[in-house]
C-alpha cells in the first residue's frame, strides 16, 4: 500500500474510531473502525477526517454526507 501513488485529484479520507481496543485486540489500542486502523488509511499528506463510528456506517454518517455536499458545491 505504501508504494501506491497518491492521486493528484481532490479526495477525502474518512476513518472511523469506534472499533474495539485493548491489548488483546488486533489493533491494540490504536484508533480503528473495526476493520482498518486510522494509521492504515493515511495517504501521504491527505488529511484524515476522524468519525466516531464503525467501518460499515462511515458512508451513512451525516458528517460525511455534509462534507461531500459542501465539496461538490
Amino acid at each position: 500500500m505504501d508504494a501506491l501513488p497518491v492521486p493528484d485529484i481532490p479526495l477525502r479520507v474518512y476513518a472511523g474510531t469506534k472499533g474495539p481496543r485493548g491489548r488483546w485486540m488486533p489493533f491494540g489500542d490504536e484508533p480503528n473502525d473495526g476493520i482498518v486502523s486510522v494509521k492504515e488509511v493515511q495517504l501521504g499528506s491527505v488529511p484524515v477526517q476522524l468519525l466516531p463510528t464503525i467501518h460499515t456506517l462511515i458512508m451513512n454518517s451525516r458528517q460525511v454526507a455534509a462534507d461531500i455536499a459542501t465539496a461538490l458545491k
Side-chain angles (χ1 to χ4, degrees):
M1 291 301 290
D2 291 335
L4 294 175
V6 176
D8 59 355
I9 59 171
L11 73 122
R12 302 263 194 276
V13 177
Y14 303 100
T17 60
K18 285 291 187 178
R21 296 186 200 180
R23 61 182 166 84
W24 62 90
M25 301 304 288
F27 299 111
D29 285 323
E30 283 187 51
N32 70 86
D33 64 10
I35 302 295
V36 295
S37 71
V38 170
K39 185 168 67 173
E40 290 177 304
V41 300
Q42 292 176 325
L43 188 58
S45 62
V46 176
V48 176
Q49 297 182 39
L50 301 178
L51 304 166
T53 190
I54 59 172
H55 188 83
T56 56
L57 300 179
I58 289 173
M59 293 312 295
N60 294 333
S61 164
R62 287 188 175 136
Q63 184 179 349
V64 170
D67 186 54
I68 292 171
T70 299
L72 294 173
K73 289 183 181 181

